[in-house]
Amino acid sequence: MSQRTTTLAPGVEYHRVLAGDQRRIGRGILAIVLLMGGMFLFSILFPVIAAMVQGPVSPDDGVVYTPLLHAAGMFAVALLTPWSMLIQRWFYGVKGASLHSVFSRFRFDIFGRALVVIVPAWTVITVALYWAPLPETTWSHTDILWFLLATLLLTPLQAAGEEYGFRGLIFRVAGGWARGARAGLVVAIVVSSVLFAIAHLSTDMWLNAWYLVFAVGVALITWRTGGIEIAVVLHAGFNTLNLLFDAAFRVDFADAYERSAGVGSPITMLPAVVIVIAVIVVWVRTRGAGAARTPADAEARVEAVRAG
């Protein structure tokens, strides 16, 4: 739908990669509709296929949510990564790899450093959240092993899919709707964060507040670092650890992930502490010459180190 590009302008920030001379709001809305429509379609289609494969499950055993349904749900959302790349390429002519970062590659050095710090922090928060007993189900020993395997293999990909969709494609699409970079950043954060909360289909005040804090925080981090890596670590670490605890304690998923009004409480906001601290740390470490929000910033940083 537009001329394809193979390289990114050296001074363009992550959220402005899709910005052009025209704001192309109609095209952006269509891209977002396709992204979210695909997400909901995948999330319905693959669990339905999984249910057909496994056959009927009797609720009398107390087991309705199975490892196969779990894996299907995780895989469905993980498809948002290639789906986001395809939509960006089709609608804007920008190669899918640019969704990793402004350098069009996934920076494993940043990912690794974030992993070492963030996973222990999420572990402490998860233990606090699971301190009080939760409703249990009657999964067998074998089921628990399958749940653990599916969670370890697919939940990080599921979380990454949401990041590439919301902090990647939607963040960039909305970031191009304003004329200036700062106005575009505000629009990008608001649109991607609100849609992220809506996508979770919750009517609870505390849960929606948590979704918004998380979304705004990782959007800021994505902008300040020029890429998606730390956002993926934060999202994948939180989701994976929670689901691992669920499987280990045989927690009833239907109760644990109920999102209707009244299920949340102030304790729901406890994980926001990690997000706020992460934003502060990233902000401080990317001030001045330490910022690498564009390829040009990175080159200037290298030159500064050589000159020093």
Side-chain angles (χ1 to χ4, degrees):
M1 296 181 69
S2 64
Q3 183 180 2
R4 293 188 174 184
T5 58
T6 56
T7 58
L8 301 179
V12 174
E13 294 178 307
Y14 186 87
H15 69 290
R16 296 289 287 177
V17 167
L18 303 184
D21 296 333
Q22 298 178 340
R23 288 181 290 176
R24 300 179 290 186
I25 295 177
R27 178 181 299 191
I29 292 174
L30 181 56
I32 291 173
V33 168
L34 276 179
L35 176 78
M36 297 194 68
M39 178 183 68
F40 286 117
L41 176 62
F42 300 150
S43 297
I44 294 172
L45 178 62
F46 285 95
V48 166
I49 294 174
M52 293 172 62
V53 170
Q54 73 180 9
V57 177
S58 172
D60 297 336
D61 328 359
V63 177
V64 177
Y65 191 74
T66 66
L68 187 57
L69 287 174
H70 180 63
M74 298 295 104
F75 179 74
V77 181
L79 288 177
L80 283 184
T81 298
W83 184 231
S84 300
M85 292 181 176
L86 179 62
I87 292 173
Q88 177 178 270
R89 185 82 181 204
W90 183 25
F91 277 70
Y92 295 92
V94 178
K95 60 183 181 179
S98 72
L99 279 173
H100 298 313
S101 70
V102 291
F103 309 102
S104 294
R105 61 179 174 81
F106 193 87
R107 296 167 296 178
F108 285 98
D109 53 339
I110 293 176
F111 177 83
R113 290 196 297 270
L115 199 66
V116 170
V117 176
I118 290 170
V119 169
W122 275 145
T123 303
V124 172
I125 293 294
T126 306
V127 169
L129 290 174
Y130 282 79
W131 195 259
L134 295 171
E136 295 183 7
T137 186
T138 55
W139 293 328
S140 67
H141 180 78
T142 303
D143 280 344
I144 292 176
L145 290 178
W146 282 118
F147 270 117
L148 292 172
L149 181 62
T151 296
L152 285 170
L153 293 180
L154 294 175
T155 301
L157 299 179
Q158 170 263 330
E162 290 191 40
E163 289 309 308
Y164 278 91
F166 289 91
R167 257 64 63 182
L169 184 65
I170 294 178
F171 191 57
R172 282 182 163 182
V173 166
W177 288 348
R179 296 298 183 190
R182 290 298 172 266
L185 177 63
V186 173
V187 174
I189 291 174
V190 170
V191 172
S192 63
S193 299
V194 170
L195 289 178
F196 180 76
I198 291 174
H200 284 80
L201 303 175
S202 175
T203 55
D204 182 77
M205 175 189 70
W206 290 106
L207 282 174
N208 281 315
W210 156 236
Y211 297 143
L212 287 171
V213 169
F214 177 88
V216 171
V218 293
L220 286 169
I221 289 171
T222 299
W223 165 60
R224 291 291 292 188
T225 60
I228 209 81
E229 298 88 354
I230 297 178
V232 169
V233 174
L234 283 164
H235 201 153
F238 181 75
N239 284 11
T240 303
L241 281 169
N242 274 265
L243 290 171
L244 287 175
F245 272 63
D246 289 336
F249 289 119
R250 290 187 170 90
V251 172
D252 188 339
F253 279 68
D255 286 332
Y257 296 97
E258 171 64 39
R259 293 171 178 171
S260 58
V263 299
S265 67
I267 195 68
T268 304
M269 297 300 295
L270 182 59
V273 174
V274 173
I275 301 300
V276 172
I277 293 175
V279 171
I280 293 172
V281 171
V282 168
W283 199 284
V284 170
R285 291 183 62 86
T286 56
R287 286 183 305 177
R293 295 193 292 273
T294 72
D297 290 335
E299 292 174 5
R301 186 175 180 180
V302 170
E303 291 300 324
V305 170
R306 288 175 178 171

